[in-house]
Amino acid sequence: MKWLRWSLSLVLFGVLVYFFLPLLGELKQAAVLFLTAQWIWLLIAIFLQVLSYACLTWLNILALEPFDGKIGFWNLTAVLTSMAFIQIAIPSAGLSGTALRIRLLGKFDYPPEDSLFSLALETICEVIALVLVASLGIVVLLYNQNLSIQAVTIILILGVVGLLIVRYYWRLLQDRERSQVSVAKLVNYWNRVGGRFRRLELDAMLDRLEAFQNNLTEYEDVPVWKFVLSTSGKVILDIATLGAAFMLFGYAIPPGTLFVGYGLILAVSGLAALPGGIGMADA
């Protein structure tokens, strides 16, 4: 079977050359950019990204605060950095990073449920901050007359609908009786439609719902302003890093464009879960 491995390696090498040979011309142009780059902005971008990771670590510390495990700031920073690396190395719609988070936090006495719940809370906070920042960008673009009234109207309608949906499900989660009824309906519907693949146990799903709702109540002692400050700091510093990266090559991007562009980058980055999706996201 040795010849098969060598043949497969040769085919993969041929595919690699086929796709990257046309990029040689662009690499020559990139070399010119590197010669004219203002490298002080690279140092600024690195500094801003370090501060952003500090805010992200703080946000995760707040998300893990109500639980019994214990992890230090630098150890948690290392966990988050490892998650970011594995999600790029193994595109899997975030599953690789989630699995690594569960394993690493388990060494600090955090059970899988606490790791997953804190990750969900972190994601919710970042999405809310992203929506607010993107909205600010839309306002700036509108003020500078870079967006039409029709486009703004559509965006506002979608935003209001999204907020109403979030508010509805948030209130549903807080109402234990209604949420249990909703879960029972979903379980029954799934068992009718997809039960031949995998049946769901109603009692187990209700136990998970109760655990989720109990976890929500644990955050009553954590000040909301800390979540706001850490999340907004992380998002704004990421946007500033993006602006510094453009300044490195002499492009001054207006703040409104950066705000909206950053939101689009994160939205399209979900393509990275697909084969070749990282390239599509970069494009």
Side-chain angles (χ1 to χ4, degrees):
M1 297 296 292
K2 187 176 181 181
W3 65 271
L4 181 60
R5 291 197 300 269
W6 279 102
S7 299
L8 181 59
S9 300
L10 185 61
V11 170
L12 291 177
F13 179 74
V15 172
L16 184 68
V17 172
Y18 174 78
F19 280 109
F20 283 92
L21 192 60
L23 297 179
L24 292 179
E26 296 185 14
L27 290 177
K28 294 179 181 178
Q29 296 177 1
V32 176
L33 285 177
F34 277 96
L35 291 175
T36 59
Q38 304 176 43
W39 293 105
I40 185 63
W41 285 105
L42 177 61
L43 298 178
I44 294 174
I46 293 173
F47 176 71
L48 291 172
Q49 197 57 207
V50 169
L51 294 180
S52 173
Y53 253 83
C55 289
L56 178 62
T57 304
W58 184 24
L59 173 60
N60 278 266
I61 287 176
L62 295 173
L64 291 167
E65 186 173 320
F67 305 116
D68 295 331
K70 186 174 181 61
I71 186 172
F73 184 90
W74 296 113
N75 284 328
L76 186 53
T77 301
V79 170
L80 297 174
T81 305
S82 300
M83 288 177 58
F85 172 80
I86 200 67
Q87 286 173 343
I88 296 298
I90 308 177
S92 58
L95 293 179
S96 55
T98 302
L100 184 62
R101 179 189 180 93
I102 292 173
R103 179 182 178 186
L104 295 179
L105 289 183
K107 297 179 179 180
F108 298 92
D109 300 325
Y110 290 100
E113 294 79 7
D114 296 348
S115 299
L116 289 173
F117 187 85
S118 59
L119 178 61
L121 182 64
E122 173 209 330
T123 303
I124 292 171
C125 290
E126 288 193 45
V127 168
I128 293 174
L130 178 62
V131 170
L132 293 177
V133 169
S135 300
L136 177 61
I138 292 171
V139 171
V140 173
L141 290 177
L142 179 62
Y143 180 78
N144 294 329
Q145 298 181 349
N146 290 329
L147 281 180
S148 65
I149 298 298
Q150 293 83 355
V152 174
T153 302
I154 294 174
I155 293 172
L156 288 177
I157 291 175
L158 293 176
V160 170
V161 171
L163 289 175
L164 289 176
I165 293 174
V166 171
R167 181 175 180 273
Y168 170 79
Y169 283 106
W170 179 256
R171 291 176 64 88
L172 181 63
L173 278 174
Q174 292 178 317
D175 190 328
R176 292 180 179 262
E177 184 176 348
R178 287 182 57 207
S179 59
Q180 289 177 357
V181 172
S182 298
V183 168
K185 290 180 179 178
L186 288 174
V187 169
N188 291 332
Y189 177 76
W190 170 261
N191 287 336
R192 288 199 310 268
V193 176
R196 59 180 177 176
F197 301 106
R198 180 185 177 186
R199 291 188 63 83
L200 299 177
E201 296 295 333
L202 179 58
D203 292 339
M205 297 302 296
L206 290 177
D207 289 341
R208 292 181 183 178
L209 174 64
E210 184 178 4
F212 183 87
Q213 292 170 328
N214 290 337
N215 284 335
L216 282 178
T217 61
E218 296 291 336
Y219 289 97
E220 293 177 353
D221 297 331
V222 182
V224 176
W225 67 266
K226 291 185 177 181
F227 282 105
V228 174
L229 186 60
S230 59
T231 308
S232 59
K234 190 265 180 187
V235 172
I236 291 174
L237 286 167
D238 277 349
I239 295 173
T241 303
L242 181 62
F246 277 108
M247 289 298 299
L248 172 65
F249 299 108
Y251 297 100
I253 308 299
T257 304
L258 278 177
F259 290 159
V260 177
Y262 178 76
L264 291 175
I265 289 173
L266 288 189
V268 177
S269 63
L271 292 173
L274 303 174
I278 295 179
M280 289 188 289
D282 290 341

